Amino acid sequence: MIELKSLSKTYSSKNGSSYEALKDIDLRVDDGDIYGIIGVSGAGKSTLVRCMNLLERPTAGQVLIDGEDITHYQGRHLFELRSRIGMIFQDFNLFTQRTVLKNVLFPLEIRHDGHSSALSRARELLELVGLSDMEDRYPSQLSGGQQQRVSIARALANRPSYLLCDELTSALDSLTTASILALLAEINRTLGVTIVIITHAMSVVQAVCNKVAVIDGSRIVEAGRVTEVFSSPQARITLQLLGLEPVTAAAPAAAGATGTINAHDPSDTKREVASDA
Ligand SMILES: Nc1ncnc2c1ncn2[C@@H]1O[C@H](COP(=O)(O)OP(=O)(O)OP(=O)(O)O)[C@@H](O)[C@H]1O
Ligand SMILES: [Mg+2]
């Protein structure tokens, strides 16, 4: 279980200006979820997911993993934590000078796994993602979808309980997107990995997520089960993302325009919506 409690993140620059990228976020991802976090560009999605594994340090609030407050983890604790949480990015982030096999071996090498066990683990993962016959290729010799499969295999190397995916299909066509999402669903089902997917596409949420949080203007404006959010969307931004309300030339809805926003109630998955949406 991943819990964010009253979490805020303010970016400060050297010239004294600051920007509040996350405001008072309460969110709970339960074990077994495929949890979608959706919002327009700049809403705070990447900041939110990067706070879950402390790639960004929250300015206020707490991050709990399996009930343990990890907000101030450093050094060895942080290293151990990161091995429990895999991460995947839009641009794949593969090592261009390493073959497919050596990319997947990398996280096993830095944990000093024995060479033969690391090798068999890496090959098992390449089989899982359907790339067994490409282990000697370099990333530049792969399609985008294949590169994303390598990055999924690499993220799973240390048997994480959680997989955080930041726009993992944004650079891919719709059919390749569908196959990558099907792979994630299989990983969730067969390996029991809890998955968080950041996206700006409702189609991604619809395809694989059981729950969704809509983020707008640094706040969560709506969250709950996908079936409920899709059947009766409340916040204006959700209606816009679903294509049910027009977007003006000015900009998509901003949270500020929808008034007070209720936080996610960690005690269950009931709907939360902006008060006047
Ligand atoms: N390191 C940083 N320093 C200052 N401001 C930042 C930093 N990172 C992000 N921001 C700002 O915080 C806000 C949220 O950024 P974030 O990357 O979380 O948005 P996002 O929802 O992931 O957007 P996108 O869909 O374009 O990836 C943006 O206004 C951005 O400019
Ligand atoms: Mg982002």
Side-chain angles (χ1 to χ4, degrees):
M1 184 168 63
I2 303 174
E3 291 168 283
L4 306 181
K5 293 189 173 176
S6 308
L7 188 133
S8 299
K9 171 70 185 181
T10 300
Y11 290 112
S12 303
S13 66
K14 285 187 182 126
N15 68 15
S17 66
S18 63
Y19 181 78
E20 209 174 355
L22 294 175
K23 296 175 186 168
D24 202 22
I25 300 286
D26 284 292
L27 182 76
R28 189 180 84 190
V29 179
D30 287 312
D31 290 350
D33 278 347
I34 303 184
Y35 207 122
I37 295 172
I38 188 164
V40 298
S41 185
K45 307 179 297 296
S46 294
T47 305
L48 178 65
V49 78
R50 289 165 66 84
C51 282
M52 289 180 177
N53 62 358
L54 302 181
L55 281 178
E56 292 292 350
R57 293 274 172 182
T59 316
Q62 292 174 299
V63 185
L64 284 85
I65 304 288
D66 301 333
E68 190 179 334
D69 185 350
I70 60 143
T71 320
H72 302 291
Y73 271 20
Q74 304 272 3
R76 183 89 208 156
H77 281 126
L78 190 55
F79 181 75
E80 291 296 334
L81 170 81
R82 296 244 171 91
S83 73
R84 285 156 62 194
I85 307 177
M87 185 143 186
I88 298 167
F89 304 88
Q90 175 178 349
D91 51 5
F92 322 129
N93 274 13
L94 297 176
F95 301 112
T96 54
Q97 305 299 322
R98 286 182 155 239
T99 62
V100 164
L101 182 66
K102 288 194 168 172
N103 264 278
V104 182
L105 276 171
F106 183 77
L108 299 164
E109 286 168 358
I110 59 171
R111 297 188 69 81
H112 307 296
D113 279 30
H115 184 67
S116 64
S117 67
L119 202 56
S120 63
R121 174 75 184 143
R123 291 202 163 120
E124 181 186 308
L125 287 160
L126 286 175
E127 193 178 335
L128 175 77
V129 301
L131 291 181
S132 292
D133 53 345
M134 299 193 184
E135 66 173 52
D136 294 324
R137 290 206 199 179
Y138 286 87
S140 63
Q141 299 169 320
L142 299 176
S143 70
Q146 289 163 344
Q147 290 186 63
Q148 197 55 290
R149 284 171 184 269
V150 177
S151 93
I152 291 169
R154 189 179 61 181
L156 293 174
N158 286 313
R159 303 179 195 276
S161 308
Y162 304 96
L163 200 52
L164 309 180
C165 310
D166 193 352
E167 306 270 11
L168 90 163
T169 57
S170 298
L172 306 175
D173 64 80
S174 59
L175 290 183
T176 308
T177 293
S179 75
I180 292 286
L181 295 177
L183 175 62
L184 284 190
E186 185 187 328
I187 287 165
N188 171 261
R189 195 176 57 246
T190 60
L191 305 180
V193 177
T194 301
I195 298 176
V196 177
I197 298 181
I198 298 292
T199 182
H200 55 254
M202 276 296 191
S203 56
V204 168
V205 173
Q206 189 168 28
V208 283
C209 298
N210 64 321
K211 293 180 196 156
V212 63
V214 183
I215 182 165
D216 190 33
S218 312
R219 293 181 189 269
I220 290 177
V221 293
E222 183 157 20
R225 295 197 172 276
V226 169
T227 45
E228 292 166 18
V229 173
F230 274 55
S231 60
S232 67
Q234 304 292 313
R236 200 169 128 224
I237 186 71
T238 315
L239 290 160
Q240 290 179 333
L241 286 164
L242 285 166
L244 299 172
E245 190 174 295
V247 179
T248 63
T258 58
T260 311
I261 289 131
N262 296 331
H264 184 83
D265 177 355
S267 65
D268 70 28
T269 58
K270 73 179 166 50
R271 302 287 308 286
E272 307 94 25
V273 297
S275 60
D276 62 347

